Amino acid sequence: MECGCRSKSDNNFVGVLPCFRKEIFLMTMAEVAEALKAEVLVEGEGYKKDVRHVVASDLMSDVLLLDEEDMLLLTSLAGDQVLRTAQIVGAAGVIVVNGKPLPSSMVYVADTLRMTLATCRLSKYEACIAVNAALHSKK
Amino acid sequence: MSAPAPSSVLLEPKSIAGSGVGNDPLVLLELIQRLKVRDVMTTELATVPRSAPLCDVQELMRRKKISGVPVEEDGRFFGLVSIDDIIRALGGGYINDPCSKHMTTKLVVLEDDMPISFALRYFNRYHYGRFPVLNRDRRLVGIICQRDINRVLLVELSKELNRLEMASGKSLDQDGVSELYLMREFTVCKYDFENAGKAANEIKRLLQDRQLPPKLIRRIAVAAYELEINLCVHSDGGMLSCQIAKGKAEVVARDAGPGIEDVEWACRDGTSTANEWIRSLGFGAGMGLVNVKRVADEFEVKSKKGSGTTVRAAFTVTGAA
């Protein structure tokens, strides 16, 4: 497994777990949420789906540049646009980090878009590490 | 009320006047987003000054057949006398008092440049019969009630229906069976981040319904989303359209201003005029047009400072999945 970092600041940190080879292991959104002790607010269509990439970013412009499929988006941005961006790129789900309170509209939008939405208390960086650790323990 | 603001031509081959438009409230949603409170409100107001006795207000209500009278002087709005205030004055025996003593002053008001979707939301939330309307200078410019909204919506829906009928007739005349497979148009309002992205989400859903190849859908959706955000962030508002015809999908963003001074510069990696607020929302990295160009097979920007911008992204449609 590899991790990429585009910027030194946590704000624009983009960690990517590129395609896990199928014969080795994969994690579902549900398993990732459990590993991060995340509170799942909406179980969308991708909740039981395998996550093939984890992208950590607050810059939606960057997320739109990625071509990866079935990604999980970790972000500290709490707004409807995160979910809309996730729907456009076909993400499996969104986890908002740093325990940020979410605007109530986010749950409604996630529900409408059938997008998995969860929150966790970890920072973006810690969340990436936790996903990595969970993948290794599964292996 | 926070649904997409698409305006709507949905034309299907062989069944142009059929499913889609008739069963879809999208036209209505676009209208309530596009029309402003000022387009709907009553501007011929019967008002009284603060010194007017309540009995005069009662007489004014009877004569004009209205249930609320704003209290204003030289455009400055002080309050509202409602029929409830009059009933209470009659019961309390103070009908000859000046209205300033008993008028309702804790009021919810609307602004004239708000979309009527906002006004409808207020009617649902507060259950008032009417709202005073102020302009940006906080001057009283009108009053709005639900009947005003219904009246204007009926007129606008009738116009829209005529337009759709004409469009369907024209399309059939050209080639017997329409060549147009899908056409959708959406209104995008300046800084309307509550709704920005909904048009692109809707376009993606429509393309999925038509079972186009997933990779193609994603490219078209990304272009539509980037262009929609650009309209919201950089223009004074405009239209986003998606059309699939003759093996080609086209996403076009049109606005009437303010225009791009240097198109070449704007299409360069990382160049942006977005402010901090836009950046705090996760956009404005200067990658929008670059990304549209990256995903599209054809890309074109026409713009002139002061006269608006048209961005066209075209995709070769290789067939259904």
Side-chain angles (χ1 to χ4, degrees):
Chain A
M1 188 196 67
E2 297 170 48
C3 269
C5 185
R6 293 172 72 141
S7 162
K8 282 178 184 173
S9 78
D10 188 50
N11 244 12
N12 292 326
F13 175 79
V14 180
V16 184
L17 313 179
C19 280
F20 314 124
R21 280 182 299 162
K22 239 181 179 171
E23 61 275 25
I24 302 178
F25 55 83
L26 284 168
M27 282 178 88
T28 63
M29 261 305 295
E31 287 171 323
V32 175
E34 199 186 324
L36 299 183
K37 295 189 176 68
E39 183 191 353
V40 180
L41 303 171
V42 176
E43 284 185 21
E45 278 175 350
Y47 190 62
K48 300 269 166 68
K49 216 170 167 183
D50 288 329
V51 173
R52 292 177 182 277
H53 297 85
V54 179
V55 175
S57 178
D58 290 350
L59 207 51
M60 296 303 107
S61 305
D62 272 356
V63 176
L64 287 163
L65 282 168
L66 301 170
D67 290 321
E68 280 80 7
E69 299 288 331
D70 300 330
M71 64 169 85
L72 158 66
L73 177 58
L74 288 174
T75 182
S76 54
L77 204 61
D80 299 353
Q81 295 308 326
V82 172
L83 294 160
R84 301 201 182 287
T85 306
Q87 191 256 9
I88 291 294
V89 297
V94 173
I95 297 182
V96 180
V97 296
N98 291 337
K100 275 202 174 178
L102 305 187
S104 55
S105 61
M106 267 189 97
V107 174
Y108 171 75
V109 173
D111 209 41
T112 309
L113 297 176
R114 286 174 277 176
M115 178 67 59
T116 297
L117 173 66
T119 58
C120 80
R121 290 184 174 279
L122 301 174
S123 73
K124 202 153 41 193
Y125 184 77
E126 288 167 336
C128 287
I129 292 171
V131 175
N132 190 10
L135 281 167
H136 279 280
S137 66
K138 190 174 180 185
K139 189 179 172 187
Chain B
M1 295 306 152
S2 57
S7 83
S8 64
V9 194
L10 173 59
L11 305 180
E12 298 285 355
K14 295 182 182 175
S15 62
I16 284 167
S19 63
V21 174
N23 301 327
D24 207 326
L26 293 175
V27 175
L28 191 61
L29 292 172
E30 188 274 330
L31 278 176
I32 62 171
Q33 197 60 43
R34 174 165 57 81
L35 290 169
K36 305 291 182 198
V37 167
R38 74 166 71 91
D39 302 324
V40 172
M41 67 187 188
T42 303
T43 52
E44 286 175 17
L45 298 177
T47 63
V48 290
R50 281 176 293 174
S51 57
L54 286 168
C55 55
D56 284 6
V57 181
Q58 181 196 7
E59 173 57 19
L60 187 64
M61 283 179 174
R62 190 192 61 75
R63 217 165 0 101
K64 297 272 182 186
K65 295 186 172 62
I66 51 178
S67 56
V69 176
V71 179
E72 63 104 31
E73 287 169 18
D74 299 326
R76 193 173 159 201
F77 179 55
F78 293 98
L80 192 95
V81 180
S82 69
I83 211 147
D84 279 354
D85 296 325
I86 296 294
I87 291 168
R88 270 197 291 272
L90 286 168
Y94 53 82
I95 193 72
N96 291 317
D97 279 7
C99 58
S100 58
K101 278 181 81 175
H102 305 287
M103 65 188 180
T104 308
T105 51
K106 283 184 183 171
L107 288 165
V108 180
V109 297
L110 292 171
E111 284 186 18
D112 62 347
D113 60 354
M114 287 171 170
I116 61 170
S117 60
F118 207 89
L120 286 168
R121 210 178 304 159
Y122 267 45
F123 278 114
N124 275 339
R125 188 184 299 168
Y126 295 105
H127 303 290
Y128 293 146
R130 73 201 74 74
F131 289 104
V133 181
L134 307 185
N135 65 10
R136 286 195 173 177
D137 301 326
R138 311 304 290 168
R139 300 243 154 209
L140 180 72
V141 287
I143 200 158
I144 187 171
C145 64
Q146 280 185 316
R147 195 179 49 195
D148 297 328
I149 297 177
N150 293 343
R151 180 175 43 81
V152 172
L153 277 182
L154 278 173
V155 172
E156 292 296 322
L157 278 171
S158 162
K159 281 185 197 165
E160 190 68 16
L161 194 63
N162 281 341
R163 197 177 68 78
L164 286 170
E165 280 175 356
M166 283 176 70
S168 63
K170 192 178 164 191
S171 189
L172 276 175
D173 288 347
Q174 282 168 353
D175 43 19
V177 176
S178 172
E179 291 175 343
L180 198 59
Y181 178 53
L182 168 72
M183 164 70 178
R184 270 282 166 107
E185 203 166 50
F186 302 82
T187 304
V188 181
C189 301
K190 184 181 185 179
Y191 294 155
D192 182 16
F193 257 89
E194 191 185 333
N195 290 303
K198 285 186 178 175
N201 288 150
E202 178 70 9
I203 287 171
K204 183 170 183 185
R205 193 186 61 75
L206 287 166
L207 299 176
Q208 283 170 330
D209 285 350
R210 278 154 185 79
Q211 298 183 317
L212 292 182
K215 284 199 170 151
L216 177 65
I217 291 176
R218 178 162 168 165
R219 287 165 55 214
I220 298 172
V222 165
Y225 191 65
E226 294 277 19
L227 292 178
E228 187 179 359
I229 295 292
N230 271 3
L231 280 175
C232 175
V233 170
H234 297 296
S235 81
D236 297 331
M239 302 297 286
L240 181 77
S241 67
C242 177
Q243 176 178 321
I244 300 177
K246 296 179 183 174
K248 191 180 265 189
E250 259 189 7
V251 179
V252 179
R254 276 191 204 89
D255 66 65
I260 305 170
E261 199 162 1
D262 185 344
V263 172
E264 206 180 310
W265 179 83
C267 293
R268 231 178 272 162
D269 230 356
T271 51
S272 177
T273 54
N275 58 29
E276 278 309 305
W277 174 63
I278 304 300
R279 288 173 204 270
S280 74
L281 294 167
F283 296 95
M287 299 303 292
L289 289 177
V290 180
N291 203 14
V292 177
K293 195 174 175 182
R294 181 181 73 89
V295 294
D297 295 319
E298 293 169 36
F299 175 74
E300 186 183 29
V301 184
K302 284 182 187 165
S303 186
K304 207 174 165 188
K305 184 80 181 160
S307 66
T309 303
T310 301
V311 185
R312 180 181 151 271
F315 304 80
T316 305
V317 177
T318 49

